[in-house]
């Protein structure tokens, strides 16, 4: 069984979408994979409640308790590695995990570390993507599932979804419309990755 470890910092709506899809589509039986753990860098992350209610192991690792980014990432890797199995290393999924990871951490999980970003990469890497798309006069915006590399928001693209930018859009309205797309494409992209 291949373990999926999901990292969150907040509400965990993408994590919840992945868990629900994994259960509905019987990933355990059909793909030999299950969501084994949800790890957060914030003890009050609401997504932890959902994970516990669905029988998933949860861990909290407060980044503020570490002297450096490298020390936090090393401790995080030690927790993730508890879910690695011989011949079936865990897939590590970033789902609203609001931490920039060190190159050492990213390289450790190369090829099995995925993220979803709220823009059509390579456009608008980084933060405030919805407002930046509106300010640039974009007619379309979207979301991208990608493999994580040391360069922020620039890994190989696994899936994208597109929505029109409406004249009445604010950053919040556009974000809400795109979130529904995130909940569809992220589980689909992970399932595709598991089939390889």
């Amino acid at each position: 069984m291949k373990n999926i470890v999901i990292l969150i910092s907040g509400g965990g709506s993408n994590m919840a979408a992945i868990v629900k899809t994994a259960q509905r589509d019987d990933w355990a039986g059909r793909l030999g994979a299950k969501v084994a753990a949800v790890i957060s860098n914030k003890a009050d992350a609401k997504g932890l409640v959902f994970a516990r209610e669905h029988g998933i192991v949860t861990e909290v690792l407060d980044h503020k308790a570490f002297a450096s980014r490298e020390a936090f990432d090393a401790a995080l890797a030690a927790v993730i590695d508890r879910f690695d199995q011989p011949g079936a290393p865990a897939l590590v999924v970033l789902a609203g995990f609001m931490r920039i990871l060190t190159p050492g951490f990213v390289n450790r999980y190369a090829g099995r570390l995925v993220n979803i970003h709220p823009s059509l990469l390579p456009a608008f890497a980084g933060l405030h993507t919805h407002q930046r798309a509106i300010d640039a006069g974009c007619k379309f915006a979207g979301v991208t599932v990608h493999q994580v590399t040391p360069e922020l928001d620039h890994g190989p693209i696994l899936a994208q979804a597109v929505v029109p930018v409406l004249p009445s859009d604010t950053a919040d309205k556009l974000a809400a419309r795109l979130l529904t797309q995130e909940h569809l494409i992220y589980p689909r992209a992970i399932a595709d990755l598991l089939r390889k």
Side-chain angles (χ1 to χ4, degrees):
M1 186 70 63
K2 187 175 198 68
N3 286 329
I4 300 167
V5 177
I6 303 177
L7 309 184
I8 66 170
S9 291
S13 69
N14 273 308
M15 174 270 300
I18 293 163
V19 168
K20 289 175 186 174
T21 302
Q23 291 173 343
R24 182 194 71 215
D25 295 350
D26 187 24
W27 285 6
R30 293 176 55 235
L31 301 175
K34 67 175 182 176
V35 177
V38 173
I39 304 169
S40 179
N41 62 315
K42 296 186 176 183
D44 62 351
K46 289 184 174 45
L48 293 170
V49 174
F50 176 92
R52 289 182 194 119
E53 287 172 349
H54 284 77
I56 299 167
V57 173
T58 62
E59 298 271 349
V60 175
L61 201 62
D62 184 353
H63 63 276
K64 294 176 187 168
F66 294 86
S68 68
R69 193 172 294 277
E70 291 76 13
F72 172 75
D73 282 5
L76 180 59
V79 175
I80 292 168
D81 288 350
R82 293 200 321 249
F83 299 94
D84 277 343
Q85 299 179 67
L91 181 64
V92 182
V93 175
L94 306 179
F97 188 64
M98 302 307 289
R99 299 282 304 158
I100 294 175
L101 299 164
T102 60
F105 182 93
V106 171
N107 290 330
R108 179 185 191 116
Y109 298 104
R112 57 189 178 112
L113 181 62
V114 295
N115 184 41
I116 191 160
H117 181 76
S119 79
L120 290 172
L121 292 175
F124 307 119
L127 300 174
H128 312 296
T129 58
H130 307 107
Q131 189 60 54
R132 289 164 60 203
I134 291 168
D135 292 347
C138 293
K139 299 297 182 195
F140 296 93
V143 296
T144 303
V145 179
H146 66 97
Q147 289 188 328
V148 178
T149 61
E151 187 177 359
L152 183 68
D153 297 329
H154 279 84
I157 293 171
L158 302 173
Q160 290 183 309
V162 179
V163 301
V165 177
L166 304 176
S168 61
D169 269 339
T170 63
D172 288 342
K173 285 181 184 176
L174 181 57
R177 207 163 60 256
L178 282 168
L179 191 60
T180 64
Q181 295 301 309
E182 291 182 32
H183 294 167
L184 296 173
I185 73 162
Y186 209 3
R188 191 179 311 141
I190 291 167
D192 289 345
L193 204 55
L194 291 167
R195 288 185 189 100
K196 292 181 179 178

